[in-house]
Amino acid sequence: MSGVPLFNLAPNLTVSRLCLGSMSFGEQNTLAESFQLMDQAFHAGINFFDSAEMYPVPQRAHTCGRSEECLGRWISQRKIPRDSLVIATKVAGPSGQMTWIRGGPKCLDAANITEAIDNSLLRMQMDYIDLYQIHWPDRYVPMFGETEYDPVQQYASISIDEQLEALSAAVKAGKIRYVGLSNETPYGLMKFIQVAEKYASHLKIVSLQNSYSLLCRTFDSAMAECCHQESISLLAYSPLAMGILSGKYFSPGGGPTEARLNLFKGKYSEGESRYNLSKKIIKAATMEYLDIAKTYGLHPVSLAIAFVLRHPLVASAVFGATKSWQLQEVLNACKIELASEVIEDINKIHLRFPNPCP
């Protein structure tokens, strides 16, 4: 394998700087198509694959878990050495909607975390998970486009101590190697790190998977300082802002009918609330970034991915692809270095349109 740069995320955990997300596997992509995409990614030098127990999206009872199953079957059928891959997945936080996942799931207590880990291992047909992440916090936090914390919405939640004790037990049992957080706040990250010191001899939080793109740079405020000071790496998800930054939704007719925001219109609230092109500020900012790409002779995908990868705290960009040519565009992007004048122009747009997709 060659072509994609590597990053040392933790001791004995080297990841490719591109991470193929599997949230389309089992929904937009058939098993055969998923295999083809993973083959292409692996042979190009990607060793890092990300999933979640709730995938694919949009989440539905009869498809839940298929993404992990696709990933596990690919590894098994292709006979890929397990130690040549870094497999990440996630436990779903509280959700009254997904009643098919442990009855809600109502909370992230020890029993829920343990059951989720065991189920993921069964679906993926493997003995251990390299990076296990809490998909979103058990406690109330503003997420998926919300930006303001409302103390009135706080509810009783499972203690971070209990969550980490369950994860610590899984590490001791050899079920998971490292722990990561996702959709977290600076407070949450620091609190998890503080509590994790109890288990410092064997439990290590190594990553934060939050949104980061040209349209969402909220990480760069308080969270960036926390990650820098605590040696936590960012796994930047939605580097293409759910495909908006590729420019495909600006083609005649509003883009391909099979594009996610068109295919699942009205069925994927988490994505639509954040990446809504009917909001003038999102459309205006995106158009200006697309103009920058055109001015400098760059593919829009190259501009978006290269911008994310140049960040000193980003270990890997977590992206999705449903077509071979989309995957190839991202692979091409990791070879691009943006000139200083490109960054200057990007920052000028950011000053006028700060974080339209938080």
Side-chain angles (χ1 to χ4, degrees):
M1 295 191 299
S2 63
V4 180
L6 301 175
F7 186 96
N8 292 321
L9 188 61
N12 301 313
L13 194 68
T14 300
V15 301
S16 51
R17 298 211 65 211
L18 294 175
C19 173
L20 181 60
S22 64
M23 67 193 309
S24 67
F25 298 171
E27 179 67 57
Q28 284 177 275
N29 290 113
T30 64
L31 183 67
E33 291 168 346
S34 301
F35 275 30
Q36 289 171 0
L37 289 166
M38 288 185 280
D39 286 343
Q40 181 182 353
F42 184 65
H43 292 306
I46 292 177
N47 73 341
F48 195 12
F49 296 84
D50 179 71
S51 196
E53 64 169 340
M54 64 167 272
Y55 290 169
V57 296
Q59 53 270 34
R60 297 188 291 172
H62 72 279
T63 59
C64 184
R66 282 186 186 172
S67 297
E68 287 185 329
E69 290 172 0
C70 286
L71 182 54
R73 290 178 68 176
W74 173 71
I75 296 169
S76 175
Q77 292 187 26
R78 294 294 193 257
K79 295 181 170 54
I80 298 172
R82 180 64 184 85
D83 60 3
S84 68
L85 299 171
V86 176
I87 303 301
T89 194
K90 315 179 197 76
V91 55
S95 170
Q97 298 175 349
M98 293 184 289
T99 54
W100 51 88
I101 301 179
R102 301 186 305 283
K106 292 181 173 60
C107 66
L108 283 175
D109 61 9
N112 269 285
I113 289 174
T114 302
E115 183 180 343
I117 292 170
D118 289 344
N119 287 341
S120 287
L121 287 169
L122 283 172
R123 280 190 292 268
M124 294 192 289
Q125 307 173 56
M126 56 183 62
D127 298 323
Y128 66 92
I129 296 161
D130 295 290
L131 178 64
Y132 197 69
Q133 304 155 103
I134 295 176
H135 206 154
W136 60 87
D138 183 272
R139 68 192 193 284
Y140 157 72
V141 297
M143 289 186 296
F144 307 125
E146 298 176 351
T147 57
E148 297 183 3
Y149 180 85
D150 179 5
V152 176
Q153 294 194 50
Q154 183 61 57
Y155 49 78
S157 57
I158 301 300
S159 71
I160 289 174
D161 289 74
E162 180 172 345
Q163 294 174 61
L164 283 174
E165 188 170 351
L167 292 167
S168 171
V171 172
K172 284 183 176 179
K175 296 177 181 180
I176 61 177
R177 296 178 62 204
Y178 293 96
V179 174
L181 304 174
S182 183
N183 296 301
E184 258 298 356
T185 66
Y187 166 80
L189 175 65
M190 296 307 297
K191 195 67 178 177
F192 266 94
I193 290 170
Q194 180 188 34
V195 176
E197 290 178 358
K198 291 182 182 179
Y199 314 99
S201 63
H202 63 275
L203 178 65
K204 175 64 176 170
I205 296 171
V206 298
S207 62
L208 170 77
Q209 187 172 156
N210 276 21
S211 176
Y212 190 77
S213 70
L214 289 167
L215 298 175
C216 177
R217 295 166 62 174
T218 52
F219 170 84
D220 284 331
S221 53
M223 188 61 92
E225 181 185 11
C226 294
C227 286
H228 174 66
Q229 297 293 349
E230 300 296 332
S231 299
I232 300 290
S233 295
L234 177 64
L235 305 178
Y237 78 75
S238 288
L240 294 172
M242 214 168 175
I244 290 175
L245 289 167
S246 72
K248 64 184 176 184
Y249 292 104
F250 296 88
S251 58
T257 55
E258 72 271 16
R260 197 186 316 165
L261 288 174
N262 292 331
L263 184 64
F264 301 129
K265 195 166 186 177
K267 300 177 181 177
Y268 187 37
S269 57
E270 293 92 343
E272 291 174 347
S273 65
R274 186 181 258 173
Y275 307 109
N276 189 341
L277 279 173
S278 67
K279 295 180 181 178
K280 292 181 179 178
I281 186 173
I282 295 177
K283 187 172 183 179
T286 304
M287 290 296 290
E288 294 215 19
Y289 289 124
L290 294 175
D291 285 343
I292 285 181
K294 186 175 181 180
T295 297
Y296 290 97
L298 296 167
H299 193 290
V301 170
S302 291
L303 179 74
I305 296 292
F307 172 78
V308 170
L309 291 180
R310 72 182 294 276
H311 198 295
L313 295 172
V314 169
S316 190
V318 185
F319 71 99
T322 58
K323 304 283 194 301
S324 174
W325 59 265
Q326 293 173 331
L327 174 53
Q328 190 58 53
E329 285 179 350
V330 177
L331 290 167
N332 294 341
C334 77
K335 303 168 187 174
I336 301 294
E337 289 190 18
L338 300 180
S340 58
E341 55 265 30
V342 178
I343 300 302
E344 288 175 13
D345 286 353
I346 285 172
N347 288 334
K348 288 175 185 176
I349 297 172
H350 178 63
L351 285 174
R352 292 203 313 280
F353 304 106
N355 304 316
C357 299

